[in-house]
Amino acid sequence: MDALDCPLLSVNVRVWRFWSFVLVHNWRRYISIIPVTLLNVFMFADLYRAWGNIEEVIINAYFAVLYFNAVLRTLILVYNRKKYEHFLSEAAKIYEEIKDHKDETICKIMNMYTKRARGLSIANLMLGAVISSCFVVYPLFTGQRRLPYGMFIPGISIFDTPLYEISYIAQAVLTFPGCCMHVPYTSFFASGTLLGMIQIKTLQYRLKNFKSLISESDEKDIKRRLHKLIEDHLRIIRFVKDINDLVTYICLIEFLSFGLILCALLFLLNVINNMAQVVIVVAYIFTMLAQIFAFYWHSNEIREESMKIAEAAYSGPWVDVENSIKKKLLLIIIRAQRPLEITVGNLYPMTLEMFQSLLNASYSYFTILRRLYS
């Protein structure tokens, strides 16, 4: 089984393959990355031009940071293409190996997390398409000549006909590849952690039911199966480390930008009076929260469930086995005391407590900013 055929990974991998970010290398990569990168440069130029206009700067900064993250994710993905392809290939092999288990409980675990991963990937793409469509059509209802994203090109008046129409159509067209550059990476992160959850839950189940193996097998077979459990535990550790190596610095960028942009958008809600703008800003906030929450929720699940491996090993039939088997189970228990973590820039673990702290900090900065403004 390769990544394209793996149900848990295929949705995001097919999007990446279509744009030739992984698996293939053709012209689609350049007609997405280069124009979107140029658009992002013009967005930051517009921030410099509009500096001093709080409302305009905050909205345009949101889009500039959003597209910057999309471009950065894609450039890292393309630059480290071989690492990502190797990870996807290994993940597909792991999925196939676990799928070969005939145990009914393991099959239920796989089906549950596979449906969850596919549902998240499809829902994220649909949500991204809907929100992106709102970005594109919103300026049409303002009664002014506005573009979906603030853009400034020195020496060119883009609001004059026909440059305005050309710029509007260009931004509308680039919204689609921009969405495909941003959304699948979040879904890839979620799918990768869910595959980690399948491995962890499967290992927990097999450790808890170790007693059935003892009653049915001889001592040599018991040791062989126990060695396989230890190998699977080590594989899970390597798997989570590989995910962390691929996403940790993207998570750092998200961490640094999220708090500032959320604070600015909350402040913007207090200074605008147009209902249409209020609705679109609320949509911006919801999009940011949904994306960042997906990162922290799944990372927290990996951390919590990895520590339960020790409890599962302790629940096994260690009382009635010989000392060599007890020592091997003890090694699993000792290693499981150290949680498997996905970190922000290899500095801090991504947990729900950290997510809450990030929200609290953003709100604190918002209240200070609102007080100063008043």
Side-chain angles (χ1 to χ4, degrees):
M1 178 184 293
D2 58 25
L4 286 173
D5 298 322
C6 179
L8 188 138
L9 302 170
S10 60
V11 175
N12 307 304
V13 176
R14 290 182 185 278
V15 174
W16 280 349
R17 184 178 182 275
F18 174 82
W19 290 105
S20 78
F21 298 149
V22 295
L23 303 181
V24 296
H25 184 172
N26 60 35
W27 52 271
R28 287 196 182 96
R29 176 183 300 179
Y30 303 105
I31 66 169
S32 59
I33 295 177
I34 295 175
V36 172
T37 302
L38 286 175
L39 175 62
N40 192 226
V41 171
F42 296 146
M43 287 180 180
F44 280 105
D46 189 63
L47 288 180
Y48 179 78
R49 177 200 60 80
W51 197 258
N53 186 332
I54 295 179
E55 178 183 331
E56 187 176 359
V57 166
I58 290 177
I59 291 180
N60 290 346
Y62 168 78
F63 286 118
V65 172
L66 183 69
Y67 270 77
F68 175 77
N69 284 339
V71 171
L72 184 63
R73 291 176 176 196
T74 307
L75 291 177
I76 291 176
L77 173 63
V78 172
Y79 181 77
N80 297 307
R81 178 174 58 88
K82 292 188 181 299
K83 289 183 179 179
Y84 279 88
E85 289 175 352
H86 177 74
F87 175 83
L88 293 170
S89 176
E90 291 299 314
K93 291 177 182 177
I94 292 171
Y95 185 89
E96 185 175 25
E97 180 183 325
I98 299 175
K99 186 179 179 181
D100 289 338
H101 284 281
K102 304 303 181 183
D103 189 280
E104 183 179 350
T105 301
I106 293 177
C107 290
K108 287 182 179 180
I109 291 172
M110 284 201 67
N111 291 335
M112 179 181 69
Y113 283 104
T114 299
K115 288 180 180 178
R116 182 169 160 186
R118 290 183 63 83
L120 278 171
S121 298
I122 294 172
N124 283 341
L125 285 173
M126 293 178 63
L127 178 63
V130 171
I131 297 296
S132 297
S133 299
C134 293
F135 293 165
V136 172
V137 302
Y138 166 72
L140 301 176
F141 297 93
T142 61
Q144 304 173 0
R145 282 205 163 193
R146 298 184 61 175
L147 292 170
Y149 319 116
M151 186 174 72
F152 175 68
I153 305 175
I156 298 177
S157 179
I158 60 174
F159 289 99
D160 294 339
T161 302
L163 288 178
Y164 170 72
E165 289 78 7
I166 294 173
S167 299
Y168 199 111
I169 293 172
Q171 289 194 1
V173 170
L174 291 177
T175 298
F176 175 66
C179 179
C180 292
M181 291 166 65
H182 192 277
V183 173
Y185 201 99
T186 303
S187 300
F188 158 75
F189 178 90
S191 298
T193 54
L194 288 174
L195 180 54
M197 288 295 297
I198 291 175
Q199 297 179 72
I200 291 171
K201 288 287 189 180
T202 299
L203 180 61
Q204 290 174 359
Y205 169 75
R206 292 164 63 195
L207 285 168
K208 287 179 181 178
N209 291 273
F210 197 52
K211 188 172 184 178
S212 62
L213 300 179
I214 292 177
S215 61
E216 299 171 2
S217 308
D218 58 24
E219 183 178 306
K220 185 178 294 185
D221 190 39
I222 291 172
K223 289 182 178 179
R224 180 182 61 81
R225 298 191 184 197
L226 182 58
H227 289 164
K228 182 65 172 70
L229 293 178
I230 294 173
E231 290 174 2
D232 289 346
H233 190 202
L234 293 175
R235 185 179 66 184
I236 294 170
I237 295 171
R238 290 194 302 270
F239 183 84
V240 175
K241 180 181 181 302
D242 289 342
I243 293 180
N244 183 70
D245 290 342
L246 292 176
V247 305
T248 184
Y249 294 111
I250 289 293
C251 293
L252 177 61
I253 299 297
E254 296 281 351
F255 175 82
L256 295 175
S257 61
F258 172 79
L260 295 175
I261 297 299
L262 179 60
C263 171
L265 289 175
L266 289 173
F267 175 74
L268 187 59
L269 284 177
N270 283 260
V271 299
I272 58 178
N273 299 315
N274 188 303
M275 182 54 65
Q277 285 187 322
V278 171
V279 171
I280 201 70
V281 170
V282 170
Y284 299 161
I285 294 174
F286 173 77
T287 303
M288 289 188 64
L289 288 175
Q291 175 189 306
I292 204 74
F293 182 73
F295 278 97
Y296 283 84
W297 172 267
H298 292 99
S299 298
N300 189 77
E301 276 197 317
I302 286 285
R303 187 179 192 277
E304 296 299 320
E305 291 298 329
S306 70
M307 290 190 292
K308 292 181 181 180
I309 292 175
E311 180 182 339
Y314 185 76
S315 300
W318 56 269
V319 175
D320 301 324
V321 299
E322 64 176 45
N323 288 336
S324 62
I325 295 178
K326 289 180 182 178
K327 290 177 181 178
K328 291 181 175 66
L329 287 171
L330 184 60
L331 289 176
I332 295 177
I333 293 173
I334 292 173
R335 178 57 185 87
Q337 301 299 312
R338 191 170 72 212
L340 303 180
E341 295 175 334
I342 299 173
T343 61
V344 175
N346 287 323
L347 298 174
Y348 303 105
M350 297 178 66
T351 63
L352 291 180
E353 289 79 10
M354 186 178 183
F355 178 72
Q356 183 180 3
S357 299
L358 184 58
L359 293 180
N360 291 339
S362 298
Y363 186 76
S364 298
Y365 293 141
F366 156 68
T367 55
I368 293 173
L369 184 61
R370 183 177 61 177
R371 187 174 301 172
L372 291 175
Y373 183 78
S374 300

